[in-house]
Amino acid sequence: MKIRLPTHPGLRFLVCFAFWQVAGLIVLSSADGIYNEIFRSVGAWVYGRNDRVKEIGFENLKRGDHLNYTRVVIVNPALMNPDGSGPVRNLDIGTRGFGSISLALLAGLIFASPVSWSRRGKALLWGVFWHQILVFGTLGYCIWLDSAEVGLVNLTAGGKELATGIKNVQAGALAVAVPVVLWVLVILRAGDLGSNRSNGLG
């Protein structure tokens, strides 16, 4: 059965985007546990540490039936007692909102673009790569900021307020601005906006 799409390029793009956005959300939602495992493993590989200076560990945070939560445990060994008690900073992250939702937006924009499938495939690979670089860069910033709560980072009251504001901007950008900007960078070429190439759902 052939799906008839609007002839207007703008409407055609919106219909295709809506289709791929819903499809992407369904796929990523069903793979929450897998993405969370990958997120936790990569995070531990990049930022995990256990020495006399600091300890940073990644744990699976169970919240009911939800499989998309990771806890980053930050410890300052200098503040810990011989019996293992002491202040611990827990950074809880919902990996769906932190990464996979915006990834679905990026994929929807790329798949709906009126270009060849080979270009869409290449754009998706580069888009996912740079998207995850930014996601884990933001994660590193969040770990650095929360490390101040256990004395691993020294921040003044004003510095902490500024750093928190930057974190909030980063989190907001990951939701919409980052996918849109990446989409423009990885798929659009000179002349694309003026073309009227046809596009389909498959």
Side-chain angles (χ1 to χ4, degrees):
M1 177 179 174
K2 188 174 180 60
I3 299 176
R4 297 179 65 109
L5 296 173
T7 56
H8 189 280
L11 291 177
R12 178 184 291 265
F13 174 82
L14 290 177
V15 171
C16 291
F17 169 70
F19 172 84
W20 289 114
Q21 178 73 99
V22 172
L25 289 173
I26 292 174
V27 171
L28 289 174
S29 294
S30 64
D32 273 344
I34 297 174
Y35 182 82
N36 194 39
E37 288 284 347
I38 295 173
F39 180 90
R40 191 163 57 254
S41 297
V42 174
W45 178 66
V46 176
Y47 298 112
R49 187 168 174 180
N50 188 356
D51 54 35
R52 295 181 179 180
V53 178
K54 68 174 67 172
E55 296 177 12
I56 299 177
F58 286 72
E59 300 177 353
N60 186 21
L61 179 60
K62 295 187 180 296
R63 290 189 176 180
D65 295 329
H66 298 289
L67 303 175
N68 58 318
Y69 288 94
T70 286
R71 168 168 286 176
V72 184
V73 181
I74 306 171
V75 178
N76 183 349
L79 301 181
M80 302 303 287
N81 300 314
D83 62 359
S85 63
V88 174
R89 181 66 175 180
N90 292 325
L91 173 60
D92 296 342
I93 297 173
T95 52
R96 179 186 294 176
F98 198 78
S100 60
I101 294 296
S102 60
L103 195 58
L105 173 58
L106 174 62
L109 289 168
I110 291 174
F111 285 140
S113 299
V115 298
S116 67
W117 276 106
S118 61
R119 274 183 60 184
R120 279 182 259 192
K122 293 176 183 177
L124 182 64
L125 291 176
W126 281 111
V128 170
F129 173 78
W130 286 113
H131 179 272
Q132 292 303 293
I133 290 292
L134 292 171
V135 164
F136 283 100
T138 302
L139 172 63
Y141 184 84
C142 292
I143 292 174
W144 172 81
L145 179 57
D146 273 41
S147 294
E149 301 298 328
V150 288
L152 290 171
V153 175
N154 294 318
L155 292 174
T156 63
K160 184 177 180 180
E161 183 177 356
L162 175 61
T164 301
I166 293 174
K167 183 188 75 170
N168 294 335
V169 170
Q170 288 178 322
L174 278 177
V176 178
V178 166
V180 172
V181 171
L182 284 177
W183 166 61
V184 172
L185 293 176
V186 301
I187 202 167
L188 293 186
R189 298 176 184 172
D192 282 345
L193 296 179
S195 66
N196 289 316
R197 299 179 187 179
S198 64
N199 183 31
L201 296 178

